[in-house]
Amino acid sequence: MDYERQAYSCGACSDLAAEMAAALAAASIVFKDNRAYSLKLVQGATVLFAFARERRGRYVKAIPDAETYYNSTGYWDEYIWGSAWMYFATGNSSYLKLATAEGLAKHAGASGGWKYYGIFDWDNKLTGAQVVLTRFFKMMSPGYPYENVLQQFKNETELIMCSYLPQYKVFNQTKGGMMEFNYGNPQPLQYVAGSAFLAALYADYLSATSAPVWPCGPDFLSRKVLRDFARSQIDYILGNNPAKMSYVVGYGKRYPIRVHHRGASIPRGRTSQGCTTGYKYRDSRLPNPHVLVGAMVAGPDTRDRFADNRYNYNYTEPTIAGNACLVAALVALSGGDDKGVDTNTIFSAVPAFFPNSPPPPGPWRP
């Protein structure tokens, strides 16, 4: 790639800036033992989130080329996502007030009724925000004025977890067992991995709060059902499917060998004669000269069929978003069931909601 790659800037990109703020804020919690670095991350997150709120707009309006591939339908969900992580990183209650604002929840589509409600992906952060705020609600028990919206998020999270399960038939399931969370559209595995991650994570929340079951309408299901569902979807990705193929490159005995990826498919040392040089390598039937170890490809079609060719990226393209969800799901499923989660570190910056109990009186003396 020796041709020009244009850089873009945006004066109003609330979705992008709030997403970046959420990432930096979450990272500040991960690196909190390195105080100087953690504070630097918080400072960057604060500036970005303020920019997201002050200059409102979707990033694709500033970068139209992105709209074809990664369109943004709105920034309200990123406001909730970003403000939630900003609150966990800083303990500043103004962020919690924003994350639990009823009007913001309504704009973000928290009441459901739209096609991709409940699906966590690169465009929709609402589901992730609802899940992590449900964790906060369950483990910290904040009161007025936050509990109404947080209770709503908890109820909706429970319904979303139910919707993932095949027995409720909210989403179709292929004969081979893959849930079609993107309604049969191409590149399904990133949505499968994201839903598996949230299901396993929510099972951990139930375990951490000593809740053996959660409600699905008139039914009460064990948290094991959630983990079994998550495991079944990740097992499908790793090779338990009709094609008997691992969709993670380099894992298992059989995996895609013609991944849609320039770095993996173009031989080392080749020089370019323009932006179309790579087409001959893209269209070649030869295996990739470089093995892109660890990359999850886009996945099979609705009949569990997979075409291992570079030209059709709907089968063989790996994405950052998809692989991020896969790694998260693998971590969530590692270490056995009911291993528990760290219930304290994520809330270490959050001040107590209620005053400490007064010390007991001294011993009585006549």
Side-chain angles (χ1 to χ4, degrees), residues 173-227:
Q173 185 178 28
T174 66
K175 289 184 178 180
M178 178 184 71
M179 298 299 295
E180 296 183 292
F181 292 115
N182 65 334
Y183 297 93
N185 291 318
Q187 306 193 27
L189 292 187
Q190 59 181 298
Y191 306 94
V192 172
S195 299
F197 163 54
L198 291 187
L201 187 64
Y202 197 67
D204 281 344
Y205 294 174
L206 294 172
S207 177
T209 54
S210 301
V213 297
W214 95 98
C216 280
D219 305 320
F220 285 88
L221 303 181
S222 75
R223 58 181 181 249
K224 184 177 183 299
V225 171
L226 275 180
R227 296 192 69 85

Side-chain angles (χ1 to χ4, degrees), residues 5 37-38 57 92 129 149 153 174 181 196 205 218 246 269 278 349 353 361:
R5 299 279 285 187
Y37 182 53
S38 180
N92 185 331
V149 171
F153 286 169
T174 66
F181 292 115
Y205 294 174
S246 164
F353 283 92

Side-chain angles (χ1 to χ4, degrees), residues 1-25:
M1 296 169 62
D2 57 0
Y3 50 90
E4 290 185 358
R5 299 279 285 187
Q6 184 176 350
Y8 295 90
S9 64
C10 58
C13 42
S14 300
D15 37 16
L16 184 59
E19 175 72 33
M20 293 170 68
L24 294 179

Side-chain angles (χ1 to χ4, degrees), residues 26-365:
S28 75
I29 299 170
V30 174
F31 294 107
K32 74 182 205 64
D33 291 339
N34 185 342
R35 181 168 174 76
Y37 182 53
S38 180
L39 289 174
K40 187 175 182 179
L41 292 169
V42 170
Q43 181 183 14
T46 303
V47 172
L48 279 165
F49 197 73
F51 175 74
R53 293 285 290 163
E54 292 166 3
R55 303 286 296 275
R56 301 190 183 186
R58 294 186 299 141
Y59 88 104
V60 293
K61 293 300 182 182
I63 312 172
D65 288 349
E67 195 163 10
T68 303
Y69 300 101
Y70 288 101
N71 185 33
S72 172
T73 55
Y75 50 78
W76 304 104
D77 55 325
E78 279 87 4
Y79 276 170
I80 300 176
W81 180 243
S83 57
W85 285 108
M86 289 299 301
Y87 176 65
F88 298 149
T90 66
N92 185 331
S93 61
S94 66
Y95 292 120
L96 179 59
K97 184 177 180 181
L98 179 62
T100 57
E102 291 187 11
L104 190 57
K106 182 179 179 180
H107 280 303
S111 57
W114 47 286
K115 185 175 181 180
Y116 285 97
Y117 174 74
I119 304 304
F120 183 53
D121 62 21
W122 51 268
D123 182 36
N124 178 22
K125 303 305 181 307
L126 174 63
T127 307
Q130 287 177 312
V131 169
V132 76
L133 286 168
T134 295
R135 173 178 182 167
F136 171 66
F137 181 66
K138 282 177 168 288
M139 297 181 183
M140 296 294 287
S141 301
Y144 179 84
Y146 313 114
E147 74 270 23
N148 286 344
V149 171
L150 290 175
Q151 179 69 54
Q152 174 192 343
F153 286 169
K154 171 185 172 292
N155 295 343
E156 293 190 21
T157 296
E158 291 172 345
L159 290 173
I160 288 168
M161 293 299 127
C162 301
S163 76
Y164 290 169
L165 302 178
Q167 60 261 42
Y168 292 104
K169 300 185 184 302
V170 176
F171 298 95
N172 291 331
Q173 185 178 28
T174 66
K175 289 184 178 180
M178 178 184 71
M179 298 299 295
E180 296 183 292
F181 292 115
N182 65 334
Y183 297 93
N185 291 318
Q187 306 193 27
L189 292 187
Q190 59 181 298
Y191 306 94
V192 172
S195 299
F197 163 54
L198 291 187
L201 187 64
Y202 197 67
D204 281 344
Y205 294 174
L206 294 172
S207 177
T209 54
S210 301
V213 297
W214 95 98
C216 280
D219 305 320
F220 285 88
L221 303 181
S222 75
R223 58 181 181 249
K224 184 177 183 299
V225 171
L226 275 180
R227 296 192 69 85
D228 288 346
F229 156 76
R231 189 176 290 110
S232 73
Q233 297 304 292
I234 298 302
D235 285 348
Y236 182 100
I237 293 173
L238 296 179
N240 187 15
N241 54 63
K244 302 301 179 187
M245 172 176 281
S246 164
Y247 294 119
V248 177
V249 178
Y251 179 84
K253 295 181 179 179
R254 185 168 179 253
Y255 49 82
I257 59 175
R258 301 178 189 89
V259 183
H260 182 95
H261 185 278
R262 296 189 196 201
S265 60
I266 298 178
R268 182 180 179 183
R270 293 295 187 270
T271 57
S272 171
Q273 286 82 43
C275 64
T276 61
T277 304
Y279 287 169
K280 68 178 181 181
Y281 301 111
R282 183 198 65 181
D283 299 338
S284 169
R285 291 294 301 163
L286 295 174
N288 285 1
H290 313 297
V291 180
L292 195 63
V293 176
M296 182 184 74
V297 297
D301 62 17
T302 58
R303 297 184 181 180
D304 301 297
R305 300 173 303 188
F306 181 77
D308 190 6
N309 66 69
R310 296 180 203 89
Y311 184 82
N312 194 336
Y313 58 86
N314 284 327
Y315 291 103
T316 56
E317 181 184 43
T319 63
I320 294 172
N323 280 268
C325 287
L326 174 67
V327 171
L330 291 170
V331 171
L333 290 170
S334 298
D337 293 353
D338 295 331
K339 63 185 180 303
V341 294
D342 178 354
T343 59
N344 298 317
T345 304
I346 191 174
F347 304 129
S348 58
V350 176
F353 283 92
F354 307 101
N356 294 328
S357 301
W364 181 81
R365 293 180 181 177

